[in-house]
Amino acid sequence: MKALIILAAVLLVVALIVLSLSIRVVTQYEKGVLFRLGKVVGVKDPGLAVIIPVIDQLMKVSLRIVTMPIQSQGIITRDNVSVDISAVAYFRVVDAVKSVIAIENVHAAINQIAQTTLRKVVGQHTLDQALSETDTINADIRKILDIATLEWGVEVTLVELKDIQLPDSMKRAMARQAEAEREKRAKIIAAEGESMAAAALGEASDTMMAHPLALQLRNLQTLVELGVEKNTTIVFPAPLMSAIGELGAFLARESAAAASPPQPVTTANGADTSTQPGPPPANGLVAGLDLKAAGTP
């Protein structure tokens, strides 16, 4: 009787061990690749899977997206600039069987091919393109990776350049270039402002030539603005200065004419008469006064 109890207990323990070895649980984000005597016989979906102990082997493959950082690579661009670029790649398994039997370690393989592809693609671009056309570079790297990884049952969903490190000398050169570019734009804007101001002044001068009183009004406005400041500056408008100069020249001519000696004049009967100095012609004085009146604002 005791022997039967011991045998039953042993059989129960063996049954529990066999049952534990026969039952596998495949989670929702996994696929199970079933090997029987070394051959692939099927793929187990998520849930409870029963296998034959010792004969069957179940390998679980995760279908979730994997984030894989790509180490910083020293790259020489097409314009012979040395840069260090790091990136990050996202991939997922789309064929569980290929990812198991086509390659030994899919993560290590993708990491290595991603590094070489990064150096190859960035090396075909100039530094300015690497800094500004990152979307194009990312798409090129992803396309090249997909060609190789699809044979392994893996799809690369996204590749992004993460960090671009430049030499200090290149940073200083780019800073000087940016500063020169800003100075160029500032000079261009200043020149455009001068051109617009000159055009506006030309239009204003044409208006003043068409309307002479506009210049006088402008002079009076300037005098009013100076008077508000309560200063001692005296401003003579340009028309008044020209009038004073013309009046001075007229007075100098009259003084020279008055100081010259009289010239003898021979009449028809032979008598000599002398021209006596007299007052200046009235019409000259009137002309001078008219000139002064016209020039005074």
Side-chain angles (χ1 to χ4, degrees):
M1 188 66 181
K2 292 182 178 180
L4 292 177
I5 295 175
I6 294 173
L7 181 60
V10 171
L11 291 177
L12 181 59
V13 172
V14 171
L16 292 175
I17 294 174
V18 171
L19 184 63
S20 64
L21 295 176
S22 301
I23 296 176
R24 295 287 187 274
V25 177
V26 180
T27 55
Q28 184 64 41
Y29 57 84
E30 293 177 335
K31 283 288 184 72
V33 181
L34 181 61
F35 290 87
R36 180 166 295 166
L37 298 177
K39 294 183 180 180
V40 178
V41 294
V43 178
K44 296 295 184 179
D45 292 329
L48 185 64
V50 179
I51 64 174
I52 301 173
V54 181
I55 297 177
D56 292 345
Q57 182 183 4
L58 185 66
M59 297 187 64
K60 299 178 183 180
V61 179
S62 177
L63 303 181
R64 293 179 296 183
I65 295 178
V66 179
T67 302
M68 184 187 64
I70 303 175
Q71 296 179 358
S72 180
Q73 303 294 311
I75 304 171
I76 298 178
T77 61
R78 193 173 66 181
D79 51 352
N80 298 325
V81 178
S82 178
V83 295
D84 292 333
I85 300 179
S86 61
V88 59
Y90 300 86
F91 67 91
R92 63 186 179 91
V93 176
V94 294
D95 192 332
V97 176
K98 286 184 178 181
S99 66
V100 173
I101 65 176
I103 191 167
E104 180 180 1
N105 189 337
V106 64
H107 293 77
I110 294 178
N111 188 15
Q112 294 299 320
I113 194 173
Q115 293 180 17
T116 57
T117 305
L118 177 63
R119 287 195 296 268
K120 177 181 177 182
V121 174
V122 176
Q124 296 174 355
H125 295 77
T126 62
L127 178 61
D128 292 339
Q129 292 174 346
L131 296 174
S132 60
E133 300 178 4
T134 55
D135 294 338
T136 303
I137 296 176
N138 295 334
D140 293 342
I141 295 174
R142 181 187 172 220
K143 186 184 300 182
I144 295 174
L145 289 178
D146 275 338
I147 295 174
T149 59
L150 286 177
E151 298 181 358
W152 307 336
V154 178
E155 178 187 9
V156 179
T157 58
L158 183 64
V159 177
E160 289 288 341
L161 298 181
K162 186 169 62 175
D163 187 20
I164 301 177
Q165 297 181 357
L166 301 175
D168 294 337
S169 59
M170 182 56 62
K171 292 179 181 179
R172 291 192 294 269
M174 294 176 66
R176 290 194 299 269
Q177 180 183 1
E179 183 178 358
E181 184 68 23
R182 288 193 296 270
E183 290 180 356
K184 182 187 74 172
R185 291 198 297 266
K187 291 181 180 179
I188 292 175
I189 293 173
E192 291 177 353
E194 293 292 339
S195 177
M196 296 174 63
L201 290 175
E203 294 178 359
S205 63
D206 293 340
T207 303
M208 290 182 179
M209 291 180 65
H211 304 280
L213 293 178
L215 182 60
Q216 299 295 332
L217 294 176
R218 181 59 183 167
N219 292 333
L220 293 176
Q221 182 180 0
T222 303
L223 293 175
V224 170
E225 292 176 356
L226 291 175
V228 173
E229 299 294 336
K230 296 182 179 180
N231 52 25
T232 58
T233 304
I234 300 175
V235 178
F236 292 97
L240 179 60
M241 297 300 296
S242 61
I244 293 174
E246 294 176 358
L247 181 60
F250 170 76
L251 293 177
R253 290 195 301 270
E254 292 298 326
S255 298
S260 59
Q263 299 295 331
V265 177
T266 304
T267 60
N269 55 5
D272 292 338
T273 62
S274 299
T275 303
Q276 300 295 329
N283 57 353
L285 180 59
V286 172
L289 294 176
D290 292 341
L291 181 60
K292 179 179 179 182
T296 304

